[in-house]
Amino acid sequence: MPGLLVLMGSGETSPTMVEIHRAATRTLRPGARAVLLDTPYAFQENRADISARACRYFARSVGLDVEVATGIAGADWVFSGPGSPTYALERWAGSGVAGDLRARVRARQGVTVLASAAACTAGLATVPVYEIYKVGAEPHWREGIDLLEPLGLQAVLIPHFDNAEGGTHDTRYCYLGERRLSRMERELPAGTAVLGIDEHTAVVIDLESEAVRVAGRGGLTVRRPGSVVVLPAGTCTDLAGLRRLAEGAAGTSAPPSSQVVPEAAAPEVTLEETIRSCEERFTAAAGGADLVAAAQAVLDLEAEMVKWAADTEEDAGGVEQARELMRLLIARLGELASTGGLRSLVEPLLALRAELREEGRYDVADALRAAMHAGGVVIEDTPDGARWTPAP
């Protein structure tokens, strides 16, 4: 069975990575054993829920039956994803899993998929994300399991490379930001490159042919002192070209063997993009009093929430954000429905009242205004004409 190493920046159990997973599993033999290593998040109280969601994702979206395990002996396909890189490192070193992972890559056998926190461990050093970003530890490295060494790469791997959650502060480079990463790079052994994988992006390495492909929504960044090269999604190269970049021998350009080819299909949009799009569509529909279009925007948002329910990136909070927006839009939809039902009755009455006033029949016009107020409509006369709102 051909060997594959798939490294993902994020989105490992989201719709954005489905096609990449499917392509990787096509190399598996019938009845292949598929294992999910839950170690990176095994300390969390919701460990069982994360594992269950991931297994459902692979079964329903990828067509792969996966078992949760703490070891990988005899596994044809191995996956590990979100959580704490350092927690995983400590347990894998003690249990022998780190050595087993290295042996898989060195033997160029099996499909190994590491994403997010697990991908962070793949280099010669690892970013202790929780300790630095959440606890406030001084920037430092921890020893990695170095799956890249058998491939001839002296590098560290950083997922979430283009993260932008911080808004007003720099959370690129797996929440390190430029200041901390620049400081940490000076502590790496001479000749070490930083390989950064953007969110919702994968680097697929065929361990037999040594072909390398960048897929998804972002790119692979090869960063060395004084040199930054970005290989965008669609880039096809090989390990020899990637080694030259990592060693600084190819200058600041992509390796000669690389090419960028169009993706077979447009990458899936992220949940954050869908949230923004649905809110914009709802606002436009509400402005035009189009209740059908407004309701469709809410339904589309709910459908996306279902698609993303298996996402195990617990820090993203995207589904909860979508849920909050959906509640708000449903409330606004109720207000629109109430107002829209009145409009067909109120506007003809306002036109009649305007005619009465033009004819000088103010007593009748005032009586009509009072009747409308009693019926739940407040009329305000302005220089630009009468305006109405539902009574509180």
Side-chain angles (χ1 to χ4, degrees):
M1 184 176 61
L4 285 180
L5 175 62
V6 183
L7 303 168
M8 295 182 171
S10 81
E12 56 271 13
T13 53
S14 76
T16 60
M17 294 288 105
V18 167
E19 290 305 320
I20 295 171
H21 283 302
R22 287 176 178 171
T25 58
R26 291 190 192 108
T27 66
L28 297 176
R29 59 180 172 79
R33 181 173 179 238
V35 166
L36 184 157
L37 280 174
D38 66 351
T39 318
Y41 58 84
F43 62 95
Q44 297 182 197
E45 291 294 325
N46 63 339
R47 167 185 182 176
D49 177 60
I50 295 174
S51 295
R53 282 188 286 139
C55 289
R56 284 197 300 271
Y57 169 85
F58 287 113
R60 296 174 182 176
S61 299
V62 185
L64 186 66
D65 290 328
V66 177
E67 63 179 277
V68 181
T70 56
I72 62 173
D76 300 293
W77 177 94
V78 173
F79 168 85
S80 193
S84 166
T86 49
Y87 186 87
L89 283 170
E90 291 168 0
R91 272 96 194 136
W92 287 344
S95 65
V97 169
D100 291 342
L101 287 169
R102 280 194 296 268
R104 288 172 68 86
V105 175
R106 189 172 288 110
R108 314 241 166 172
Q109 293 179 349
V111 177
T112 305
V113 184
L114 301 181
S116 301
C120 206
T121 70
L124 63 85
T126 295
V127 176
V129 181
Y130 281 22
E131 291 83 345
I132 296 174
Y133 185 64
K134 295 190 174 183
V135 182
E138 284 296 305
H140 64 286
W141 298 98
R142 294 282 295 275
E143 184 178 357
I145 59 177
D146 207 1
L147 297 185
L148 303 178
E149 186 273 333
L151 306 181
L153 290 167
Q154 181 178 326
V156 298
L157 195 143
I158 301 182
H160 296 278
F161 205 67
D162 62 343
N163 181 272
E165 291 177 30
T168 57
H169 67 283
D170 189 1
T171 53
R172 292 173 298 168
Y173 321 139
C174 202
Y175 308 95
L176 290 176
E178 178 63 42
R179 179 183 63 82
R180 286 183 290 210
L181 177 58
S182 296
R183 172 179 167 181
M184 292 172 65
E185 282 176 313
R186 294 193 290 271
E187 300 172 4
L188 290 169
T192 302
V194 170
L195 303 183
I197 305 180
D198 288 342
E199 297 185 330
H200 301 282
T201 304
V203 176
V204 182
I205 303 173
D206 186 315
L207 299 175
E208 183 175 10
S209 69
E210 296 203 343
V212 177
R213 179 171 65 95
V214 182
R217 295 180 51 83
L220 166 66
T221 298
V222 183
R223 175 168 160 147
R224 290 178 48 83
S227 170
V228 176
V229 179
V230 179
L231 305 180
T235 298
C236 296
T237 185
D238 55 24
L239 278 175
L242 194 55
R243 291 187 201 108
R244 288 194 293 272
L245 280 181
E247 294 165 1
T252 57
S253 302
S257 59
S258 69
Q259 59 176 322
V260 179
V261 297
E263 292 283 317
E268 289 267 359
V269 298
T270 65
L271 181 57
E272 289 76 12
E273 290 170 333
T274 297
I275 290 172
R276 186 163 57 250
S277 172
C278 288
E279 185 172 18
E280 290 172 353
R281 286 169 48 207
F282 184 96
T283 300
D290 188 343
L291 296 182
V292 173
Q296 188 60 54
V298 176
L299 292 174
D300 290 345
L301 179 61
E302 190 274 339
E304 286 296 311
M305 288 169 55
V306 172
K307 285 174 59 178
W308 285 81
D311 189 11
T312 54
E313 282 283 356
E314 71 279 358
D315 287 339
V319 174
E320 182 57 34
Q321 181 185 351
R323 187 175 293 111
E324 291 171 355
L325 175 63
M326 187 175 72
R327 286 196 293 264
L328 174 63
L329 296 187
I330 289 173
R332 290 176 58 190
L333 189 61
E335 295 172 1
L336 285 172
S338 174
T339 303
L342 287 173
R343 181 176 287 109
S344 61
L345 296 174
V346 170
E347 291 186 352
L349 293 175
L350 285 181
L352 174 59
R353 179 171 177 269
E355 292 177 7
L356 292 171
R357 288 168 62 86
E358 287 177 3
E359 296 171 0
R361 301 168 64 185
Y362 295 105
D363 56 338
V364 180
D366 290 344
L368 180 56
R369 175 178 180 173
M372 293 173 71
H373 188 276
V377 177
V378 176
I379 306 299
E380 178 186 6
D381 290 313
T382 74
D384 297 325
R387 297 177 181 174
W388 68 276
T389 57

